[in-house]
Amino acid sequence: MNILFKKIKAIGFDLDETLYAPNEEINERIRNEIAKRILQNKPDLGNIKNARNLYETNYKKWKSGSLTLKKLKLENPEQIMHECLSNANVINLIKEDPILTIILNKIKEKYELFLLTGSPSETSMEKIKKIGININIFNNLIFGNTFPEAKKIDSTMFQNFLKTSKYKPDEHVYIGDNLKTDILPAKSQGMKTIYLGNEIQEADYCIKDIYEIEKLFL
Ligand SMILES: [Mg+2]
């Protein structure tokens, strides 16, 4: 158990690329779906490849799919992202993860667990099931469509969640792979944060692999 997390009562998880590893094929499919939508909106781009390049260049700057679409002036960017995620049909590319399932079951004996994801409930539930995680392991489930209008990036989803939690903000830790949509908004609401990826200053702790949570919390 890491001393940094001594006060923690509830552990929260992002879903995409946190509870399952990033996968090139999944990324390709999603980004091509997004490029199709950009091309529909900006036919002057001429072809999918140009639309994809425009998206990639802007994504590097904004680091969030919906924010990138918003900056490219597409209407209802969150809705478009949700549609692209479900059209990309990524469920069958997600692998079962018995190791993570065992770790979560152990952690569950000492902490409350919650899922807080920008993805809509239907696809999120399918992904969780595909990984092999029993959805009932989570005391609280917050999906992209749980609170209308609420988003991760502006921290409104975290605010809404904290209102329903019996613990104080700093008794929660949130684990995610995205600085702008996971770490910064959770931190702004007083939660502790763990970043999954390379070392960054903004998070309380960084891990390279989701399995590292076992030694952090047990
Ligand atoms: Mg993620």
Side-chain angles (χ1 to χ4, degrees):
M1 191 8 235
N2 191 299
I3 194 86
L4 255 179
F5 303 116
K6 214 175 70 181
K7 276 171 74 178
I8 296 303
K9 301 272 200 304
I11 304 172
F13 299 87
D14 164 53
L15 171 57
D16 297 298
E17 306 203 331
T18 294
L19 288 180
Y20 64 89
N23 168 317
E24 251 333 289
E25 175 66 21
I26 291 178
N27 266 328
E28 269 300 302
R29 287 198 195 176
I30 294 170
R31 286 167 183 237
N32 281 335
E33 287 298 322
I34 295 170
K36 278 188 211 164
R37 297 297 292 265
I38 294 173
L39 184 61
Q40 276 172 16
N41 222 270
K42 300 179 186 299
D44 289 355
L45 286 166
N47 58 48
I48 283 279
K49 198 170 169 240
N50 292 339
R52 174 80 188 259
N53 285 339
L54 180 69
Y55 177 75
E56 299 294 347
T57 313
N58 281 274
Y59 184 87
K60 277 195 192 111
K61 189 167 169 194
W62 304 110
K63 306 244 179 358
S64 143
S66 51
L67 185 60
T68 302
L69 294 180
K70 193 176 166 193
K71 297 287 179 185
L72 292 174
K73 303 212 163 25
L74 272 75
E75 276 177 36
N76 299 321
E78 283 86 16
Q79 179 61 29
I80 294 177
M81 281 305 294
H82 288 170
E83 286 165 11
C84 290
L85 286 170
S86 46
N87 291 347
N89 192 21
V90 299
I91 310 286
N92 54 2
L93 295 174
I94 295 173
K95 293 191 185 79
E96 201 182 332
D97 192 344
I99 298 172
L100 178 61
T101 306
I102 290 169
I103 294 173
L104 291 178
N105 282 326
K106 280 198 225 165
I107 289 178
K108 169 76 187 164
E109 290 173 18
K110 285 178 67 184
Y111 302 89
E112 285 207 357
L113 305 184
F114 63 98
L115 181 78
L116 193 155
T117 170
S119 286
S121 51
E122 206 177 315
T123 45
S124 299
M125 303 279 257
E126 286 180 73
K127 289 171 187 171
I128 291 289
K129 199 171 153 193
K130 195 71 198 291
I131 301 166
I133 300 169
N134 181 345
I135 198 85
N136 297 321
I137 201 170
F138 298 106
N139 299 77
N140 219 323
L141 293 158
I142 301 98
F143 303 109
N145 51 341
T146 301
F147 304 110
E149 306 292 317
K151 299 180 191 71
K152 285 178 79 175
I153 196 158
D154 65 5
S155 82
T156 44
M157 271 178 76
F158 294 90
Q159 289 169 30
N160 285 334
F161 160 69
L162 284 170
K163 278 182 212 156
T164 69
S165 174
K166 59 178 183 273
Y167 301 121
K168 289 187 236 132
D170 66 352
E171 292 174 329
H172 300 79
V173 61
Y174 187 69
I175 306 169
D177 65 291
N178 189 301
L179 173 64
K180 291 192 176 176
T181 58
D182 298 324
I183 304 305
L184 295 179
K187 187 179 171 178
S188 78
Q189 298 311 308
M191 294 163 97
K192 295 271 179 227
T193 55
I194 297 175
Y195 180 67
L196 177 58
N198 293 323
E199 289 285 322
I200 56 166
Q201 295 297 313
E202 292 87 344
D204 292 294
Y205 201 86
C206 298
I207 54 176
K208 288 248 185 297
D209 190 313
I210 190 68
Y211 304 145
E212 289 179 47
I213 58 172
E214 184 173 16
K215 63 173 190 295
L216 281 183
F217 295 110
L218 295 174

